[in-house]
Amino acid sequence: AQSVTQPDARVTVSEGASLQLRCKYSYSGTPYLFWYVQYPRQGLQLLLKYYSGDPVVQGVNGFEAEFIKSNSSFHLRKASVHWSDSAVYFCAVSPNYGNEKITFGAGTKLTIKP
Amino acid sequence: GGIITQTPKFLIGQEGQKLTLKCQQNFNHDTMYWYRQDSGKGLRLIYYSITENDLQKGDLSEGYDASREKKSSFSLTVTSAQKNEMAVFLCASSKDWGANTLYFGAGTRLSVL
């Protein structure tokens, strides 16, 4: 079975600063990896996903993530955050053979300081 | 595009009460899901339905029932609400089963007195 660890429950950064949200997964095979974002009082929305190929994947609103197989990581990055990026971010993993459920991490709450 | 509509948005119940949450999607997706979201615990899968006539238990199915009335709708029943329980229940859908993009509703916030 797969699992996801997001070690930082809360992260605070200043507007305009760079951001990295950490995600480590546990799965013996090749995973599919996802980052979702949840804005206040809303459901989750997909930011980006990795299936195969280039380990750096681009998402919406300037977000990107890098799959590092040797480190079992899929950290989310953004070069310059905006106040509107304040939200909860979830990393998720599923096996790559398409008949298993997606497992979500506990989430990281991002707060942007003015 | 499409939308997932969850009703009600807020639900206040009494201990021991049976409570039903509803979800409708107009994506024409095959697969639908119910997740429970607790603070600091991420999302836990309660029930899912791969196709219209299917029902599968997730990791947290005890204390819940589900019903896939038709392709577009998926209901969740809390069989006996627990005192002081507070959680958000999220409905989601995907085109089909597997590693696909999930589309989520805004959630039903449950409080039990």
Side-chain angles (χ1 to χ4, degrees), chain A residues 91-102:
Chain A
C91 183
V93 63
S94 76
N96 72 341
Y97 45 82
N99 62 349
E100 286 287 336
K101 58 183 170 67
I102 295 174

Side-chain angles (χ1 to χ4, degrees), chain A:
Chain A
Q2 67 269 24
S3 66
V4 178
T5 300
Q6 294 180 248
D8 304 307
R10 294 173 182 271
V11 170
T12 300
V13 298
S14 298
E15 190 167 20
S18 63
L19 169 71
Q20 176 172 277
L21 300 182
R22 295 185 290 165
C23 172
K24 299 263 293 188
Y25 68 90
S26 173
Y27 177 63
S28 57
T30 302
Y32 288 165
L33 295 159
F34 309 84
W35 276 98
Y36 282 82
V37 61
Q38 184 180 34
Y39 298 104
R41 302 294 187 189
Q42 295 185 29
L44 281 68
Q45 303 169 35
L46 183 69
L47 262 185
L48 49 80
K49 59 188 177 186
Y50 170 79
Y51 281 177
S52 65
D54 189 340
V56 179
V57 291
Q58 305 296 323
V60 297
N61 297 333
F63 285 94
E64 67 174 29
E66 184 174 7
F67 169 53
I68 302 180
K69 188 173 182 178
S70 61
N71 195 34
S72 298
S73 68
F74 190 57
H75 301 332
L76 182 70
R77 303 188 295 238
K78 187 171 183 179
S80 176
V81 297
H82 186 263
W83 65 267
S84 59
D85 293 325
S86 295
V88 181
Y89 292 79
F90 292 91
C91 183
V93 63
S94 76
N96 72 341
Y97 45 82
N99 62 349
E100 286 287 336
K101 58 183 170 67
I102 295 174
T103 299
F104 287 85
T108 296
K109 183 173 183 178
L110 175 65
T111 301
I112 307 299
K113 292 189 301 185

Side-chain angles (χ1 to χ4, degrees), chain B residues 21-89:
Chain B
L21 292 67
K22 294 188 179 295
C23 176
Q24 295 268 354
Q25 53 99 357
N26 64 359
F27 288 99
N28 199 33
H29 283 170
D30 283 337
T31 305
M32 297 185 74
Y33 312 77
W34 276 107
Y35 285 90
R36 176 178 165 129
Q37 183 179 19
D38 294 278
S39 179
K41 291 186 179 178
L43 277 65
R44 291 180 287 174
L45 185 62
I46 305 172
Y47 267 96
Y48 59 102
S49 170
I50 296 176
T51 60
E52 185 173 344
N53 296 312
D54 176 75
L55 200 59
Q56 305 280 346
K57 293 183 178 181
D59 301 319
L60 200 69
S61 61
E62 188 171 337
Y64 302 95
D65 287 327
S67 172
R68 183 83 181 267
E69 296 88 0
K70 50 186 177 180
K71 187 174 184 179
S72 62
S73 67
F74 193 31
S75 297
L76 180 73
T77 298
V78 179
T79 56
S80 179
Q82 301 299 303
K83 188 175 175 61
N84 296 324
E85 180 176 9
M86 287 183 65
V88 176
F89 293 85

Side-chain angles (χ1 to χ4, degrees), chain A residues 41, chain B residues 6-13 21 87-88 107-111:
Chain A
R41 302 294 187 189
Chain B
Q6 290 188 238
T7 55
K9 287 186 170 53
F10 299 94
L11 184 56
I12 299 176
L21 292 67
V88 176
T108 293
R109 283 157 180 79
L110 171 67
S111 296

